[in-house]
Amino acid sequence: MNTEDLLARVGHSQEETEFYTPLPAGYRHGHHKYVVVVGTVMSGLGKGIFSSSMAKLLQDKGLRVAPIKMEGYYNIDSGTLNPYRHGEVFVLDDGIETDMDLGTYERLLDQDLTRANFTTNGQIHAAVLKKEREGGYLGRDVQFNPHVTGEVKMRLRELAVKSKADVVFVEVGGTVGDYENTAYLEACRQLAFEEGEGSVVFVALTYVLEPGALGEQKSKAAQLGIKRMLEMGIQPHMIACRANNPVNEKVRQKISMYCNVPMRRVVSMHDVSSIYLIPESLREAGIDREVLTLLNLHDRVDQRAEDQARRKWSWFVDRIGKARKEITIAVTGKYVALRDAYASIIKAVEHCGIHHGVDVKLKWIDTTLIGAHNVENELSDCHGIIVPGGFGSRGVEGKIDCIRHAREKKIPYLGLCLGFQMAVIEYARNVCNIPEANSSEFAPAGKHSVIDILPEQKKIEGLGGNMRLGGKDIAVTPGTLAAKIFNGATQIRLRFRHRYEVDPQIIGTLEKHGMVFSGRHPRQPIMQILELPESVHPFFMGTQAHPELSSRPLRPQPMFMALVAASMDYARDHGKEHGKSHGGHHKQTAAV
Ligand code: GLN
């Protein structure tokens, strides 16, 4: 279908039209369907978790799904956002820096996403202004409606074509009523009109209050929130009610009546012990069938695929919370807002704990408070140590003390990006006898920058002075620990986000003193994985990459699997293994 046909459908011709509806080549009207998830009442309800769980239910049935997160901010991507305010920057394989919710989608759908799955107001407006300068609007005055909204619709349809999606899941950032997401909501309203009945489903995610003083659930805020959607011309087809406890019948009835949504489509999405239980609880609430009916998709379902997918998923879910053992892994990160700033690390460790049948507690260490005098004491209850990625010099000396302790006391160690660089510095200083070894990030005028910015290295990959971003191939040296944990693979792929790297001039010295670089750029002397031989240390590994970004529930990341296994051995051998004293997980509510 082309734009003209589409306009004809709604009774308009292309000349002198008020419509602006460019369609991407290859668009199959009626084939691509959309589910739009909108938050009401408040943000932070877990829209991403909800939307990805719903997408997973349809994916399990053999349908092709493509999620997209639409952010209200004007940054072009998330690269410049402070992770302590906005959560971690999640880098996709194609190198775009996105919001942490993209991580939730990748993990739940076990699908690699691209820049087409993420947009911001900044991207939308930049595209409109660029087109205007190029004379792309044929003399028209460029307006919010139809041009900005037209650009949004274009993005959604382009994603549909590119991903060949049966269903595009649109997560509109923020909450209905925010000025920031008005363009998205208005565009989705228009999309539903243009695509016609049975093509777009709107889901309102709302919140049911249960004030402690009243001891009962109240629906008013939810009703008013949804009223805002109705004011914008959007009738939700389905309402998911977030709440601490299962939402009772009376409250659901009130919401149903007030918002014109039948009871079977007003479902409770109360807190559960793990986000991985949400797909099944939505299935039990019948949401998957309702979506199929609304979008007329029942005949695209592959029952056998669904049985198989559900069998695999239940294997994983059944193990959650059943661990009999408990270990503690230290993570050197600032305590404030850690859950979001280190979301992927937390998730990777959780996946591996579930696979190994162990509950892994994370102990957060603020390294600004660590020094040689207290490192032993601080880490005495830990069975493994992670030094995660980071920027800036805050707490780096404390990190080096932690790494030295891990190396000398043979405590399992995994260094991620900055943690890899710090392991190189620690080794250069304390083993190779280069006391001034440092990174030019922290000591720009230092004498021995064993970690440096090296623009000539970047040029090799065409990066200039910029950050090295996205998925890159790594050649793994046969016979090493890395080769073992990656099952003998000689080439693997991980995601990167760094500016500094190991100075090739120091490699020989480090190797002479026993450090092994087991992962390298396939052709250049760019170091990507380091380790100590197993004869010297049970598990000491660092990587310039961010392996935490590619861990998935059913495909836990091998480096994290090896760290957790080694930490379990350490706990056993040092008589520090804990049986689990108290059962049950804490309830988890927000988007992780
Ligand atoms: N700050 C270091 C660099 O830019 C490490 C980056 C990171 O840990 N993501 O190279």
Side-chain angles (χ1 to χ4, degrees):
M1 168 176 274
N2 60 27
T3 304
E4 224 162 298
D5 297 336
L6 189 94
L7 290 179
R9 250 182 57 81
V10 286
H12 291 263
S13 74
Q14 203 162 14
E15 284 141 36
E16 278 308 306
T17 176
E18 286 307 308
F19 287 86
Y20 172 73
T21 305
L23 282 190
Y27 190 69
R28 291 161 70 191
H29 181 260
H31 178 81
H32 309 296
K33 312 271 183 164
Y34 302 83
V35 172
V36 182
V37 179
V38 180
T40 76
V41 179
M42 66 183 197
S43 61
L45 295 178
K47 272 196 305 276
I49 293 172
F50 175 75
S51 178
S52 47
S53 297
M54 249 169 99
K56 176 170 170 49
L57 291 179
L58 297 199
Q59 184 195 46
D60 285 351
K61 294 175 193 296
L63 287 126
R64 260 176 192 273
V65 296
I68 180 166
K69 172 96 196 259
M70 309 198 105
E71 293 282 9
Y73 49 75
Y74 278 81
N75 310 58
I76 297 288
D77 58 37
S78 312
T80 50
L81 299 181
N82 177 352
Y84 293 107
R85 269 181 72 106
H86 296 272
E88 74 181 353
V89 175
F90 194 87
V91 184
L92 303 184
D93 190 77
D94 67 1
I96 188 170
E97 299 169 287
T98 70
D99 175 82
M100 58 184 283
D101 267 339
L102 278 275
T104 307
Y105 286 109
E106 283 206 341
R107 285 187 285 267
L108 267 171
L109 299 175
D110 196 0
Q111 184 173 313
D112 281 349
L113 302 179
T114 71
R115 57 190 65 237
N117 302 96
F118 177 71
T119 195
T120 68
N121 261 331
Q123 287 181 30
I124 298 291
H125 285 78
V128 170
L129 293 177
K130 182 167 176 280
K131 212 174 275 177
E132 188 276 331
R133 287 293 83 187
E134 290 166 351
Y137 295 105
L138 309 170
R140 279 288 305 258
D141 48 333
V142 181
Q143 300 282 356
F144 177 88
N145 242 343
H147 302 107
V148 175
T149 49
E151 188 64 35
V152 175
K153 287 181 283 176
M154 181 70 174
R155 287 290 170 110
L156 297 177
R157 288 174 168 134
E158 271 173 351
L159 172 63
V161 171
K162 193 170 165 231
S163 60
K164 302 192 182 78
D166 292 298
V167 187
V168 173
F169 280 81
V170 186
E171 179 190 345
V172 179
T175 308
V176 62
D178 295 344
Y179 292 114
E180 295 86 336
N181 59 28
T182 315
Y184 296 141
L185 290 171
E186 171 60 10
C188 289
R189 186 193 65 73
Q190 294 173 19
L191 181 84
F193 173 60
E194 291 167 7
E195 295 287 324
E197 271 298 276
S199 295
V200 181
V201 162
F202 286 96
V203 187
L205 190 62
T206 193
Y207 188 63
V208 171
L209 297 164
E210 194 169 349
L214 297 181
E216 61 169 322
Q217 294 178 327
K218 305 299 277 180
S219 68
K220 184 62 82 187
Q223 294 177 33
L224 293 175
I226 292 161
K227 187 95 180 169
R228 290 303 291 264
M229 282 178 79
L230 294 167
E231 281 168 13
M232 297 188 75
I234 297 174
Q235 166 67 57
H237 299 86
M238 212 178 264
I239 299 173
C241 306
R242 288 285 294 115
N244 293 348
N245 298 304
V247 177
N248 69 48
E249 179 96 358
K250 201 178 98 202
V251 166
R252 284 175 49 235
Q253 280 174 358
K254 280 191 181 170
I255 295 174
S256 163
M257 190 183 63
Y258 197 82
C259 308
N260 326 310
V261 178
M263 275 293 276
R264 63 179 189 283
R265 293 185 192 147
V266 180
V267 297
S268 173
M269 193 190 160
H270 45 275
D271 292 354
V272 286
S273 57
S274 162
I275 66 158
Y276 299 119
L277 302 174
I278 292 174
E280 192 55 25
S281 81
L282 294 181
R283 216 183 70 87
E284 277 163 15
I287 275 209
D288 52 343
R289 271 170 292 127
E290 290 300 325
V291 174
L292 291 178
T293 304
L294 287 162
L295 294 176
N296 211 351
L297 283 174
H298 282 288
D299 58 355
R300 292 194 211 170
V301 170
D302 177 346
Q303 192 56 54
R304 220 182 286 163
E306 183 176 24
D307 293 344
Q308 213 173 20
R310 285 192 61 211
R311 253 199 313 276
K312 280 195 206 154
W313 188 248
S314 354
W315 175 89
F316 176 77
V317 167
D318 288 347
R319 295 173 71 92
I320 296 175
K322 305 272 167 58
R324 298 256 186 82
K325 292 177 192 158
E326 184 178 299
I327 56 168
T328 302
I329 293 183
V331 185
T332 62
K334 226 169 29 158
Y335 188 75
V336 203
L338 294 159
R339 210 170 69 166
D340 284 357
Y342 299 106
S344 291
I345 294 178
I346 297 171
K347 287 285 138 191
V349 169
E350 184 189 6
H351 301 157
C352 297
I354 292 168
H355 281 263
H356 281 307
V358 64
D359 200 2
V360 187
K361 295 271 168 270
L362 296 179
K363 176 174 177 177
W364 300 94
I365 310 266
D366 180 350
T367 50
T368 56
L369 308 173
I370 293 275
H373 62 287
N374 65 353
V375 64
E376 175 143 26
N377 200 23
E378 283 294 320
L379 295 175
S380 60
D381 55 349
C382 299
H383 312 115
I385 297 171
I386 294 174
V387 173
F391 294 82
S393 60
R394 199 174 179 279
V396 291
E397 291 303 321
K399 287 179 185 153
I400 291 182
D401 289 324
C402 290
I403 297 170
R404 179 178 197 161
H405 184 75
R407 183 178 55 75
E408 291 180 347
K409 302 292 180 208
K410 301 193 194 308
I411 305 172
Y413 175 72
L414 182 60
L416 308 171
C417 203
L418 182 67
F420 162 91
Q421 298 175 352
M422 301 316 292
V424 167
I425 295 170
E426 190 278 322
Y427 210 74
R429 284 187 193 175
N430 301 324
V431 180
C432 308
N433 241 324
I434 313 174
E436 290 190 35
N438 213 330
S439 163
S440 55
E441 182 176 4
F442 321 127
K447 266 205 215 127
H448 268 112
S449 296
V450 294
I451 304 294
D452 212 344
I453 198 131
L454 303 173
E456 63 284 3
Q457 294 266 62
K458 297 269 168 54
K459 238 183 274 158
I460 295 169
E461 291 179 311
L463 284 170
N466 293 331
M467 195 99 94
R468 187 161 176 260
L469 284 169
K472 312 269 174 214
D473 292 336
I474 301 174
V476 180
T477 315
T480 57
L481 178 59
K484 190 163 110 188
I485 68 174
F486 282 101
N487 259 330
T490 51
Q491 185 150 312
I492 58 163
R493 191 173 173 85
L494 291 173
R495 297 183 194 173
F496 291 79
R497 181 172 187 254
H498 67 112
R499 204 168 269 125
Y500 296 81
E501 45 206 350
V502 182
D503 181 354
Q505 289 181 31
I506 192 70
I507 295 168
T509 312
L510 292 164
E511 285 177 334
K512 211 165 62 209
H513 286 84
M515 182 165 269
V516 175
F517 286 101
S518 48
R520 296 162 187 252
H521 185 286
R523 289 166 302 280
Q524 309 296 337
I526 305 179
M527 302 300 109
Q528 323 269 252
I529 303 174
L530 67 76
E531 63 190 50
L532 294 180
E534 280 179 285
S535 54
V536 175
H537 194 290
F539 183 80
F540 190 96
M541 180 170 275
T543 174
Q544 186 63 83
H546 286 282
E548 69 274 19
L549 301 180
S550 32
S551 189
R552 309 275 167 84
L554 299 181
R555 290 189 299 126
Q557 209 282 332
M559 289 175 168
F560 282 87
M561 281 297 275
L563 171 76
V564 171
S567 304
M568 290 170 79
D569 290 347
Y570 180 89
R572 185 197 57 215
D573 296 346
H574 291 76
K576 288 177 172 178
E577 197 167 65
H578 302 303
K580 282 202 59 178
S581 43
H582 46 87
H585 280 223
H586 292 295
K587 284 186 171 183
Q588 193 167 352
T589 50
V592 172

